[in-house]
Amino acid sequence: MAEVILENITKSFGKTEVVHNVSAHFHDGEFIVIVGPSGCGKSTVLRMIAGLEEVSGGNIKIGDKLVNNLEPKDRRIAMVFQNYALYPHMNVYNNMAYGLRLQKHSKVEIERRVQEAAQLLQLGEYLQRRPRQLSGGQRQRVAMGRALVRKPEVFLFDEPLSNLDAKLRHQMRVELKKMHKNLGTTMIYVTHDQVEAMTLADKIVVVNKGRIEQIGSPDEIYNAPASMFVAGFIGCPPMNFLPAQHSNGGLSLENGFIIPAKDLLIPSDTRQLIVGIRPEKIEFSHLQRESGWLEVDIDFIEKLGSGKLLYTTIGPQQLILSMANGDDRHITRGWIRFPAEALYFFSHQDGSLLKVKSS
Amino acid sequence: MIEQRPLTSFFSHFILICGVLLVAFPIWITFVAASHDTARMVQVPLPLLPGNHFFENLLEAFTHGVGNAKGQSVGLMLMNSLIMALMIAFGKIAISMLSAFAIVYFRFPFRMTFFWMIFITLMLPVEVRILPTFEVVANLHMLNSYWGLSIPLIASATATFMFRQTFLTVPDELLEAARIDGAGPIRFFIDILLPISRTNIAALFVIVFIYGWNQYMWPLLITTDKDMYTIVMGIKQMVEAVEEAPEWSLIMMTTLLAMLPPVVVVIGMQRLFIKGLTETEK
Amino acid sequence: MLKRVHFKPSPLPYFLVAPQLLITIVFFLWPASQAIYQSMLVEDAFGLSTEFVWFNNFIELFSDGFYLDTLYRTLFFSAAVTFISLSSALIFAALADRVIGAATTYRTLLIWPYAVAPAVAGALWMFMFDPTIGIVAYFLDLVGYDWNHRVNGSHAMLLVILASSWKQISYNFLFFFAGMQAIPKSLIEAAAIDGAGPARRFWTIIFPLISPVTFFLLVMNIVYAFFDTFGIIHAVTKGGPAKATEILIYKVYNDGFIGLDLGGSAAQSVILMIIVIGLTIVQFRYIERRVEY
């Protein structure tokens, strides 16, 4: 078991730099999820930790050993791939045993470890099968088994669940979390799915365009996003963003509505800014309200079963409201309010979070 | 399925059966000729139905050979053909797999130069550079040897291309998984790449075996020693001797024997043969 | 072209390509360059001295009536072989594609001549047409036709064309058949629903869809007729009678090994090389374009 430290990692392919100056400290036993849109460089970071890509600059340490120039096999890591990468011509047993044989473990030891992993993953009856005779979920387990038998200090997962159907994905997510609890080994998990990030992680790393946008616990990331990107990427449906301007007594939206701002402590030197609010934080009323409430037309409603989403527009901007079930009347209009404590303010220029002045 | 009119169906079968007969007729005649004694085979008209000297002729071909003056045993010629075909097949598969492996899985200076050098051989069949190639083989003292028969024929761009194509379809993650498992290039080649390419290897083997077995011009040029004659060129020598001793039944028996191995390979391993043919030729 | 991932730099790849490269250089590139060099040399009658004459050998070749005759003869021969073997294979494939159930049986029965060596194919046909003993010659004699390919040049040409086409049918059949089987059945069914009969379906749907295969086979057949038929011609006619069946590849062999005309034979080799290179380029152009298909 070990901690993983990234110090100013960069990666260039030819002249294009795809990972810029990434630094992070992952503690021993943590479940780290690196999340970001496709092509953001998150897989590259993982593959550099694995040793499958060389770093162009910076240092990677696994358990205070500098591993920059170590071969993957010597880094005491194990990896699970998106397409599983099982050896198609070997049966399940040999798929798991192959690495151990190359490490020159004794036959008895190999047998013991493979049986142990097979039992943990309920693969016992499939040991003699070839990968193509297995279902997607079973292949996934074999891939995990192959990682498990190595008894690595760090597990690396590269979008391991994205080839599974929704139901199986949920099931494997739970099992993965259980496995982490049992083993207590450091795990680094790459995904583009923010739900996986929120549910699995002890610590989330949000990556965008080759840079780290934010590192934090799921709660921190959700409640205190460091930028518009993080706020928009984490959460489903995503946070609403509305361009606004300072005006007397508040913030003026594009349709002229003014959010009362006497109790808002925003920096007044920024005239233009972007207001963010989570869909579930917007208050809604069927009844006509007075000041501070905005009358809107409801364009349509998406029923989710457990709740519903209301779609409306403010000027050219779409606004999504998330509500519990209840009043099932056909709603075509209503009044909404933005509670001051639920608002986030982002820079118009670079999308960074604007600090609220402490009063 | 779409309509099957009995009449058109009958017509299709009729034409196809005619085609099959047309294609098979020369072989039938050969078989018939091989089953009669020598005396019968000089009387006009020749028989259209088999006789009962087949095994006699078979024995004769193996023990005495044909055209007593020239007298190479058919067994020896078959053996030479087999050795040549196998050497070409194994040699070609080995060298083209290794070079395809290097070109696909490594990045190294002159990679593309090498690739083009191999590629250009596509445009140089042995027939068009026959004289200078003969000189090279003569200078290397490889005339009348198995090496001389096979080595100049084992380099080929098509086989290299086929393996390159095969390797490119192998998922990258397999290599990465193997690297994490601790396999170096050679281990990866032996443990992973070789087993997963085995149907391609078999398919190529079928094609190259036939190619090697059927070589004619090259053995004709570089073998002057009777002990090195291959069966395909041996037939030619026999046909030439036919004026003096028209042993047609023995000649046709030998012809049958010369055809047999590749034909058995094609029919017996039809699936691999078709795969090999369609994959190496594009 | 190259994998995204690859092994670390090491000298290993050089060792891996070395065998193929060595053979390529020694038996392909060096002889080819020798052929080009020799094609510009003239050797005196006793082989004692050579003279560098630039393109004289080529100029001589193209002003040599015999060479031009051979060239035209080769073109005629190739065209005939290509036409006969392609068209009969196309007919067989189209019919086999229609007969359900028995299609693969017919395939098995039609493909095996591919395995017969050209020289052996030559021997078979020569035996059938042997003027004194051959079975076909006998039947021709019965209907009053005097067949003798040993003295009659047209007979000889016809015989090598037939033998060459016979051997090539299976190859063409295989590719046509595979091409037709690859056409989605739904397409044919759609055409049937649109009211197209079998013949119309063939010419408006199947034939256009296999046109890439046809083109590919066209080139392959030309290559076959130019080079691989050497065995047939050598076994059956030796280019005779009176050069009636001498094609380019046979002439290279004959002038080089029998006539020992070094420069002339080398120049002919170079011309053949240019033909192969041309055909290969055509083939590759077409493969590039086929991507859209």
Side-chain angles (χ1 to χ4, degrees):
Chain A
M1 286 179 225
E3 56 181 10
V4 177
I5 300 168
L6 311 180
E7 289 173 356
N8 301 316
I9 302 294
T10 59
K11 176 69 188 177
S12 310
F13 290 112
K15 279 183 185 159
T16 43
E17 195 175 275
V18 292
V19 172
H20 320 278
N21 239 346
V22 164
S23 296
H25 190 147
F26 304 142
H27 296 285
D28 185 16
E30 271 184 328
F31 198 122
I32 313 291
V33 175
I34 305 178
V35 67
S38 57
C40 71
K42 59 188 187 297
S43 281
T44 310
V45 171
L46 190 77
R47 293 161 54 80
M48 285 192 288
I49 298 171
L52 297 170
E53 302 270 6
E54 283 174 43
V55 293
S56 309
N59 289 326
I60 297 177
K61 289 179 188 160
I62 297 177
D64 52 71
K65 191 160 60 165
L66 186 68
V67 297
N68 281 20
N69 296 315
L70 284 187
E71 277 287 302
K73 67 179 163 87
D74 302 322
R75 294 192 180 196
R76 310 201 37 82
I77 51 110
M79 186 155 167
V80 176
F81 295 88
Q82 177 173 0
N83 65 2
Y84 320 137
L86 300 177
Y87 307 122
H89 59 293
M90 296 182 191
N91 63 23
V92 170
Y93 185 95
N94 287 330
N95 259 289
M96 294 202 262
Y98 183 66
L100 299 179
R101 289 199 186 116
L102 292 181
Q103 288 175 4
K104 308 240 185 303
H105 285 285
S106 73
K107 265 208 163 100
V108 185
E109 172 71 3
I110 293 173
E111 172 78 21
R112 198 180 60 74
R113 287 204 199 179
V114 172
Q115 291 298 351
E116 199 180 278
Q119 200 178 1
L120 190 73
L121 295 162
Q122 294 145 37
L123 282 168
E125 52 188 305
Y126 305 114
L127 284 176
Q128 298 309 316
R129 299 238 187 122
R130 295 281 177 92
R132 66 164 180 278
Q133 297 164 306
L134 301 176
S135 70
Q138 289 164 341
R139 286 179 208 185
Q140 171 67 59
R141 285 169 205 276
V142 179
M144 299 254 196
R146 190 167 63 180
L148 268 179
V149 294
R150 296 173 57 83
K151 297 196 187 298
E153 295 189 334
V154 180
F155 281 99
L156 305 174
F157 297 93
D158 191 1
E159 311 221 10
L161 305 184
S162 54
N163 282 3
L164 300 177
D165 62 53
K167 200 175 159 193
L168 209 51
R169 202 180 310 161
H170 176 79
Q171 196 183 325
M172 289 304 294
R173 219 162 65 202
V174 174
E175 286 187 28
L176 206 57
K177 191 76 189 166
K178 265 193 221 154
M179 196 169 108
H180 178 247
K181 219 172 144 188
N182 289 338
L183 297 172
T185 314
T186 314
M187 293 188 173
I188 304 178
Y189 185 108
V190 161
T191 181
H192 62 267
D193 181 349
Q194 55 96 19
V195 179
E196 281 175 24
M198 292 298 288
T199 51
L200 285 171
D202 294 327
K203 188 187 267 179
I204 294 178
V205 180
V206 184
V207 179
N208 184 31
K209 294 182 181 153
R211 284 178 214 285
I212 292 183
E213 291 270 340
Q214 189 173 3
I215 301 181
S217 70
D219 282 348
E220 281 166 3
I221 299 277
Y222 190 79
N223 294 324
S227 67
M228 230 172 111
F229 174 80
V230 177
F233 194 78
I234 303 288
C236 181
M239 186 183 277
N240 294 296
F241 296 113
L242 300 165
Q245 278 190 340
H246 263 291
S247 71
N248 288 338
L251 289 164
S252 148
L253 299 182
E254 288 192 330
N255 66 347
F257 176 72
I258 293 176
I259 302 176
K262 47 181 181 295
D263 45 357
L264 292 179
L265 301 163
I266 48 168
S268 55
D269 50 320
T270 42
R271 288 203 47 78
Q272 294 256 337
L273 48 76
I274 289 171
V275 177
I277 185 161
R278 297 241 177 239
E280 67 272 19
K281 293 287 169 62
I282 302 174
E283 288 176 19
F284 179 83
S285 169
H286 305 290
L287 308 168
Q288 186 162 357
R289 300 292 185 109
E290 297 298 324
S291 68
W293 289 77
L294 170 66
E295 185 178 1
V296 289
D297 292 326
I298 303 300
D299 300 331
F300 64 95
I301 298 171
E302 243 180 8
K303 296 202 170 164
L304 302 175
S306 57
K308 60 190 171 192
L309 300 178
L310 272 51
Y311 285 76
T312 180
T313 50
I314 290 185
Q317 298 290 322
Q318 188 178 60
L319 192 76
I320 305 175
L321 289 70
S322 171
M323 292 174 62
N325 282 323
D327 196 347
D328 263 358
R329 265 178 300 175
H330 186 63
I331 307 163
T332 54
R333 57 175 27 215
W335 283 262
I336 58 172
R337 196 177 81 90
F338 304 105
E341 65 281 8
L343 295 179
Y344 298 89
F345 305 105
F346 300 101
S347 154
H348 182 72
Q349 276 89 27
D350 60 3
S352 61
L353 188 77
L354 298 175
K355 289 273 181 314
V356 174
K357 276 191 293 187
S358 51
S359 50
Chain B
M1 190 51 209
I2 335 162
E3 92 284 0
Q4 285 281 313
R5 295 176 209 155
L7 194 66
T8 53
S9 220
F10 171 79
F11 177 74
S12 300
H13 281 289
F14 178 74
I15 301 277
L16 281 168
I17 288 167
C18 286
V20 169
L21 291 180
L22 192 71
V23 163
F25 184 68
I27 311 296
W28 174 251
I29 292 296
T30 311
F31 172 68
V32 169
S35 66
H36 285 275
D37 58 11
T38 314
R40 176 66 187 88
M41 292 309 293
V42 289
Q43 296 161 21
V44 179
L46 290 180
L48 279 170
L49 293 173
N52 50 10
H53 294 266
F54 187 83
F55 293 100
E56 255 166 65
N57 290 337
L58 189 64
L59 194 66
E60 178 78 8
F62 270 101
T63 48
H64 298 294
V66 184
N68 288 332
K70 305 209 167 199
Q72 321 85 353
S73 145
V74 170
L76 184 64
M77 291 195 290
L78 281 172
M79 183 57 80
N80 287 339
S81 280
L82 186 68
I83 291 172
M84 174 176 75
L86 289 178
M87 279 175 79
I88 293 175
F90 282 117
K92 203 172 212 168
I93 288 168
I95 67 164
S96 42
M97 237 184 133
L98 290 178
S99 57
F101 177 55
I103 283 171
V104 171
Y105 281 99
F106 292 86
R107 203 172 285 190
F108 55 103
F110 301 116
R111 193 175 70 88
M112 286 312 284
T113 317
F114 295 158
F115 179 77
W116 284 107
M117 280 169 77
I118 295 168
F119 177 83
I120 211 165
T121 61
L122 205 61
M123 307 181 184
L124 298 170
V126 69
E127 286 85 358
V128 307
R129 57 192 160 82
I130 193 91
L131 197 59
T133 312
F134 174 81
E135 281 166 8
V136 168
V137 173
N139 289 336
L140 293 173
H141 304 292
M142 297 205 300
L143 296 179
N144 286 314
S145 75
Y146 291 124
W147 299 115
L149 277 174
S150 52
I151 289 180
L153 301 174
I154 68 175
S156 106
T158 48
T160 312
F161 283 179
M162 196 202 81
F163 282 121
R164 178 179 154 268
Q165 216 54 45
T166 311
F167 294 165
L168 284 177
T169 59
V170 173
D172 288 352
E173 286 80 359
L174 227 48
L175 166 61
E176 300 184 327
R179 281 185 68 189
I180 289 175
D181 273 342
I186 294 172
R187 271 258 85 90
F188 175 72
F189 182 78
I190 295 170
D191 289 347
I192 315 284
L193 219 45
L194 213 55
I196 61 181
S197 313
R198 61 186 184 278
T199 45
N200 289 294
I201 294 172
L204 190 67
F205 182 88
V206 169
I207 299 297
V208 179
F209 179 83
I210 295 168
Y211 164 85
W213 183 275
N214 287 349
Q215 280 305 310
Y216 179 69
M217 192 195 224
W218 186 244
L220 190 67
L221 289 178
I222 75 148
T223 60
T224 46
D225 183 349
K226 281 177 193 165
D227 288 343
M228 292 302 296
Y229 281 2
T230 65
I231 188 87
V232 171
M233 59 171 293
I235 287 168
K236 165 70 184 139
Q237 314 287 353
M238 294 175 193
V239 172
E240 268 174 6
V242 85
E243 315 274 293
E244 308 143 33
E247 297 179 302
W248 277 115
S249 51
L250 290 181
I251 294 173
M252 286 298 125
M253 172 57 78
T254 314
T255 310
L256 213 52
L257 289 172
M259 284 191 290
L260 205 60
V263 169
V264 166
V265 165
V266 163
I267 293 182
M269 298 186 234
Q270 201 177 138
R271 205 177 48 80
L272 285 176
F273 164 68
I274 291 168
K275 183 180 164 67
L277 205 58
T278 47
E279 281 184 10
T280 49
E281 301 277 3
K282 57 183 176 190
Chain C
M1 178 48 70
L2 180 69
K3 293 269 181 184
R4 180 170 53 85
V5 290
H6 45 87
F7 288 107
K8 285 201 162 173
S10 76
L12 184 66
Y14 294 100
F15 290 107
L16 295 174
V17 291
Q20 173 139 32
L21 220 52
L22 196 68
I23 291 171
T24 303
I25 292 169
V26 173
F27 296 106
F28 283 73
L29 302 181
W30 168 252
S33 61
Q34 279 295 296
I36 295 170
Y37 173 66
Q38 286 168 355
S39 72
M40 299 179 188
L41 296 181
V42 164
E43 213 171 36
D44 69 23
F46 307 101
L48 294 176
S49 67
T50 50
E51 193 190 343
F52 195 78
V53 293
W54 287 107
F55 297 105
N56 251 356
N57 286 326
F58 293 93
I59 295 165
E60 252 176 50
L61 272 183
F62 283 105
S63 50
D64 175 5
F66 286 124
Y67 186 75
L68 291 177
D69 284 347
T70 308
L71 182 64
Y72 299 141
R73 194 178 300 120
T74 310
L75 293 178
F76 170 75
F77 172 76
S78 310
V81 170
T82 304
F83 177 76
I84 294 174
S85 58
L86 269 184
S87 53
S88 38
L90 182 64
I91 292 170
F92 294 151
L95 295 176
D97 188 42
R98 283 183 49 78
V99 298
I100 300 134
T104 49
T105 312
Y106 282 119
R107 187 180 68 186
T108 309
L109 291 171
L110 284 168
I111 60 171
W112 55 268
Y114 175 83
V116 179
V120 173
L124 297 182
W125 283 76
M126 186 184 165
F127 175 58
M128 287 198 301
F129 281 83
D130 187 274
T132 50
I133 197 95
I135 190 97
V136 180
Y138 169 75
F139 285 120
L140 287 173
D141 195 46
L142 281 187
V143 298
Y145 192 85
D146 186 18
W147 174 273
N148 194 338
H149 65 260
R150 293 209 187 114
V151 294
N152 186 323
S154 312
H155 288 177
M157 186 50 127
L158 186 60
L159 181 57
V160 290
I161 287 173
L162 286 177
S164 306
S165 308
W166 173 78
K167 191 184 143 28
Q168 191 66 359
I169 285 176
S170 42
Y171 181 86
N172 296 340
F173 172 83
L174 200 64
F175 277 89
F176 275 136
F177 186 70
M180 289 178 192
Q181 296 275 297
I183 297 174
K185 285 283 163 282
S186 58
L187 224 57
I188 313 291
E189 284 162 357
I193 290 166
D194 284 343
R200 209 184 165 81
R201 284 203 298 269
F202 179 79
W203 288 113
T204 57
I205 311 287
I206 298 175
F207 190 71
L209 282 178
I210 58 161
S211 65
V213 180
T214 314
F215 181 81
F216 162 81
L217 284 176
L218 196 66
V219 177
M220 294 310 288
N221 278 269
I222 294 171
V223 171
Y224 164 78
F226 261 74
F227 304 105
D228 296 345
T229 51
F230 172 84
I232 295 178
I233 290 176
H234 191 251
V236 177
T237 65
K238 286 205 165 222
K243 296 189 185 299
T245 53
E246 187 184 67
I247 60 168
L248 288 174
I249 186 71
Y250 195 86
K251 192 169 165 63
V252 170
Y253 161 84
N254 209 35
D255 290 2
F257 285 91
I258 313 295
L260 297 176
D261 170 11
L262 191 69
S265 174
Q268 292 180 36
S269 288
V270 173
I271 291 170
L272 284 179
M273 264 185 237
I274 291 167
I275 293 173
V276 184
I277 290 169
L279 286 170
T280 313
I281 290 169
V282 169
Q283 189 74 283
F284 268 79
R285 276 274 169 84
Y286 136 81
I287 286 173
E288 274 170 26
R289 244 184 307 132
R290 195 175 54 165
V291 178
E292 62 190 291
Y293 167 67

